[in-house]
Amino acid sequence: VDLCVILDSVEQAKAVAHIAQATGDRIPALIEIDCDGHRAGVRPGDPQLLEIGRLLQAGGAVLRGIMAHAGESYACRSVAALEQAAEQERAAAVGCAEALRSAGLPCPIVSIGSTPTAHFARRLDGVTEVRAGVFMLFDLVMAGIGVCAIDDIALSVLATVIGHRADRGWIFVDAGWMALSRDRGTARQSVDQGYGLVCDLDGQPYPDMIVSETSQEHGILAIRSGSTASLPVLPLGARVRILPNHACPTGAQHDRYHVVAGGSQIVSAEWERFRGW
Amino acid sequence: VDLCVILDSVEQAKAVAHIAQATGDRIPALIEIDCDGHRAGVRPGDPQLLEIGRLLQAGGAVLRGIMAHAGESYACRSVAALEQAAEQERAAAVGCAEALRSAGLPCPIVSIGSTPTAHFARRLDGVTEVRAGVFMLFDLVMAGIGVCAIDDIALSVLATVIGHRADRGWIFVDAGWMALSRDRGTARQSVDQGYGLVCDLDGQPYPDMIVSETSQEHGILAIRSGSTASLPVLPLGARVRILPNHACPTGAQHDRYHVVAGGSQIVSAEWERFRGW
């Protein structure tokens, strides 16, 4: 798929058409469909869908198709709910594509996908593209929804123990929210993972040990409230891996990824991150 | 002040002394003092203070002095409470410095400071360094504490209007939490600023308009809940400035600062950011 403008309103279609006419650029555009009332998009059945399509084509832009993102699927808590969200996303997208085509408008692209729905779609009839989100790395939010297992999470922040406060049951590490991000996406899930789940160097979680608090450059490791697990012995200089709530903001706090093969501590590659806008 | 190791425990002092002896490096060190029970540090009066100092000196490290950070001052909500937190920080630091000196240990540096206490200290007797925090930029958290006025905030994120959803009273901009950070530091203050306060290009706030929600690359501007203010007319392409909850994480989302003189839209300099660890 080429880089496309994504839009969902007549005012935006007029603006894109205006720019296309003024510059002579045949701007490629996708119309966003609102499949679940989450944020933005044209609702299925809204007559503005055809008006937007006609304005784009008449103005010299190129209608490439439609896209939908099932933002509400992040609130699903069962396989049945996830499958239903995926089918709702697919049906809304395909229905709108058919409406455009029936009106004589082109719709080569039918793009759907959120991380949960991409993994729970049982049918993809009529779909030409699935945007599978964070599937390559996964994270604790996705594990909390049931999209992956903890062991599937491929991103961690390597941190070093720098101090102890035994009277409070705290272990300090050199990773605060600058290293982990401020994301607390598991706070609304049934298992709140704090600022991250703490693992040994091989990626095995310590029972019920999370990053319970962060400041800018410090993290506090502690046993989850209510657990009977005991704090592991981690001396000064010991290293741990912290699994992130949300891979996107955590990754964005760093300039590069250090790639290690499963079970190994040897960095076999460094991947620079794309940054900026 | 040179780069110093900061420590607050006998185990850390032993580790630093061990490294100093093994390498022959005269590692400079500051002992952290806990002036308010916030996170870390040696409590004033704790005999470990002298033990840490002696271990450092005997091990070949260099005791440079002490430092304190009044982390609890962020919860202060009155000038009297801020002044009291500042004096408590100063008195704890100076008292510990005197205890070290009385025991024949050196303590040339007496470093204090959090953004609130740095601005409300009425005395600095015995202090050699004040770390004034975010004073250069300020932010909405500091305005909420009463350390600065909204007009003092010198950092904003420039964003562009990309859509409207009139039925919900929403204006979409191209700045989500990737541009603003996930910091919600005003959520626990008396005025919750959402993900930021929205201003015109000259930095004048629109009445009661905040970034009410964010997703990764979208922000939603809306009138604060309970306000009778009306949404300003901001057409597609209009630009706004968003004042951040917390300057540190918001700045960290960007590679550089674009410097504009007050009242001007002309970028007179670009400052690259330090990043990484």
Side-chain angles (χ1 to χ4, degrees), chain A residues 7-14 31-33 41-56 63 66 96 99-100 103 105, chain B residues 164-167:
Chain A
L7 76 176
D8 68 354
S9 71
V10 168
E11 78 165 334
Q12 291 167 324
K14 285 180 178 168
I31 303 175
E32 183 170 358
I33 306 304
V42 180
R43 295 291 295 168
D46 186 331
Q48 288 195 75
L49 176 70
L50 301 184
E51 189 179 354
I52 293 167
R54 290 191 186 109
L55 281 165
L56 290 170
L63 177 58
I66 60 95
C96 288
L100 287 170
L105 289 161
Chain B
H164 300 89
R165 185 137 181 180
D167 59 322

Side-chain angles (χ1 to χ4, degrees), chain A:
Chain A
V1 177
D2 307 329
L3 206 60
C4 290
V5 167
I6 298 174
L7 76 176
D8 68 354
S9 71
V10 168
E11 78 165 334
Q12 291 167 324
K14 285 180 178 168
V16 170
H18 178 75
I19 295 167
Q21 283 189 321
T23 62
D25 288 336
R26 292 179 53 73
I27 301 171
L30 296 175
I31 303 175
E32 183 170 358
I33 306 304
D34 178 4
C35 62
D36 57 9
H38 183 69
R39 186 179 66 195
V42 180
R43 295 291 295 168
D46 186 331
Q48 288 195 75
L49 176 70
L50 301 184
E51 189 179 354
I52 293 167
R54 290 191 186 109
L55 281 165
L56 290 170
Q57 292 288 99
V62 182
L63 177 58
R64 296 294 306 277
I66 60 95
M67 66 83 71
H69 176 260
E72 286 297 308
S73 69
Y74 290 79
C76 292
R77 292 292 176 273
S78 71
V79 168
L82 286 161
E83 290 182 349
Q84 200 257 319
E87 175 55 18
Q88 182 175 308
E89 184 185 46
R90 187 202 69 83
V94 171
C96 288
E98 285 167 0
L100 287 170
R101 292 174 191 138
S102 298
L105 289 161
C107 190
I109 295 172
V110 181
S111 175
I112 65 168
S114 65
T115 309
T117 55
H119 289 76
F120 283 85
R122 294 291 164 257
R123 294 174 54 196
L124 290 170
D125 320 25
V127 170
T128 68
E129 179 185 71
V130 175
R131 304 182 317 280
V134 78
F135 82 104
M136 194 180 80
L137 299 172
F138 281 131
D139 52 35
L140 293 169
V141 165
M142 285 302 138
I145 297 173
V147 174
C148 68
I150 295 288
D151 194 48
D152 293 327
I153 300 173
L155 183 70
S156 66
V157 175
L158 185 65
T160 302
V161 172
I162 58 168
H164 300 89
R165 186 139 179 178
D167 59 323
R168 294 190 178 178
W170 289 352
I171 297 174
F172 290 98
V173 292
D174 62 350
W177 51 253
M178 278 290 281
L180 299 170
S181 95
R182 274 285 199 199
D183 196 283
R184 288 283 289 107
T186 58
R188 293 178 301 274
Q189 295 189 329
S190 58
V191 178
D192 183 344
Q193 305 282 16
Y195 283 89
L197 187 63
V198 186
C199 302
D200 65 19
L201 273 183
D202 292 325
Q204 293 302 312
Y206 291 105
D208 283 332
M209 185 154 76
I210 60 173
V211 183
S212 63
E213 267 301 332
T214 54
S215 40
Q216 195 149 339
E217 304 290 1
H218 294 67
I220 296 177
L221 314 186
I223 297 299
R224 189 193 303 286
S225 174
S227 166
T228 58
S230 51
L231 208 62
V233 176
L234 291 171
L236 288 180
R239 295 198 299 171
V240 295
R241 293 191 177 280
I242 301 167
L243 304 181
N245 281 321
H246 188 169
C248 303
T250 302
Q253 299 298 108
H254 301 268
D255 287 332
R256 64 198 62 233
Y257 298 103
H258 298 271
V259 183
V260 292
S264 160
Q265 301 307 326
I266 298 164
V267 175
S268 57
E270 289 194 13
W271 294 344
E272 284 202 30
R273 267 188 64 91
F274 169 85
R275 281 181 55 83
W277 288 270

Side-chain angles (χ1 to χ4, degrees), chain B residues 38-98:
Chain B
H38 182 69
R39 184 180 66 196
V42 181
R43 295 290 296 169
D46 187 331
Q48 288 196 74
L49 177 69
L50 302 184
E51 190 180 354
I52 293 167
R54 289 191 186 109
L55 281 165
L56 290 171
Q57 292 289 100
V62 183
L63 177 58
R64 296 293 308 276
I66 60 95
M67 67 83 72
H69 177 259
E72 286 297 307
S73 69
Y74 290 81
C76 292
R77 292 293 177 272
S78 71
V79 169
L82 286 161
E83 290 182 350
Q84 200 258 319
E87 176 54 19
Q88 182 174 309
E89 183 185 46
R90 187 201 68 82
V94 171
C96 289
E98 286 167 359

Side-chain angles (χ1 to χ4, degrees), chain B residues 87-174:
Chain B
E87 176 54 19
Q88 182 174 309
E89 183 185 46
R90 187 201 68 82
V94 171
C96 289
E98 286 167 359
L100 288 170
R101 291 174 192 139
S102 299
L105 289 162
C107 190
I109 295 171
V110 181
S111 175
I112 64 167
S114 65
T115 309
T117 55
H119 289 77
F120 283 84
R122 294 292 164 257
R123 295 174 54 196
L124 290 170
D125 321 28
V127 170
T128 68
E129 178 186 72
V130 175
R131 304 180 318 278
V134 76
F135 82 103
M136 194 180 83
L137 298 173
F138 281 131
D139 52 36
L140 294 168
V141 164
M142 287 300 140
I145 297 172
V147 174
C148 68
I150 295 287
D151 195 48
D152 294 327
I153 300 172
L155 182 71
S156 65
V157 174
L158 187 63
T160 301
V161 172
I162 57 169
H164 300 89
R165 185 137 181 180
D167 59 322
R168 294 189 178 179
W170 289 353
I171 297 174
F172 290 98
V173 293
D174 61 351

